[in-house]
Amino acid sequence: QVKLVESGGGLVQPGGSLRLSCAASTSFFSTYAVGWYRQAEENQREMVAHISSSMSTWYTDDVKGRFTISRDNAKNTVDLQMNSLKSEDTAVYYCRAAGKGYDYWGQGTQVTVSS
């Protein structure tokens, strides 16, 4: 089993920034397609950003221009830079690596945006 571990969550004021990181236990992580998801309490889990092995990216409309997904293949990590945060961004954020023959989830990290 591949382990994914998220870090970087915390409490931030509206308008602030956070950088989340997803670290993988496999040296083949650079070949995986990776997405960042979030789930607010009692809401469904939604994908907010995605990055492929070729580093093509996708964002949901709500975070376009504010969030940036990137990967560091040497470190086997995928990051999510979150700027201009607002209260609606409050959720547990999850890292997922999924594709043909694999589907792995991290345990999540809490992001709270509040004044």
Side-chain angles (χ1 to χ4, degrees):
Q1 295 287 332
V2 173
K3 297 281 289 187
L4 302 179
V5 180
E6 301 96 334
S7 62
L11 176 63
V12 198
Q13 294 183 349
S17 298
L18 276 178
R19 189 176 184 90
L20 306 183
S21 183
C22 174
S25 64
T26 176
S27 61
F28 296 105
F29 196 45
S30 63
T31 71
Y32 289 16
V34 178
W36 278 100
Y37 294 71
R38 68 185 180 189
Q39 184 171 19
E41 286 190 1
E42 300 183 358
N43 287 357
Q44 61 187 6
R45 193 170 298 183
E46 63 174 348
M47 187 166 68
V48 298
H50 180 274
I51 188 166
S52 71
S53 60
S54 62
M55 296 192 181
S56 62
T57 59
W58 173 91
Y59 304 92
T60 192
D61 287 343
D62 190 52
V63 308
K64 281 183 179 177
R66 300 190 299 121
F67 290 11
T68 302
I69 190 170
S70 62
R71 66 195 311 161
D72 186 334
N73 292 338
K75 297 180 179 180
N76 291 323
T77 58
V78 171
D79 289 0
L80 184 68
Q81 178 67 46
M82 305 185 295
N83 299 326
S84 302
L85 286 163
K86 46 191 177 183
S87 60
E88 299 94 291
D89 297 318
T90 296
V92 177
Y93 283 72
Y94 299 88
C95 177
R96 181 197 187 192
K100 282 204 168 184
Y102 63 97
D103 189 355
Y104 306 110
W105 289 88
Q107 293 185 354
T109 185
Q110 176 71 50
V111 172
T112 302
V113 185
S114 177
S115 59

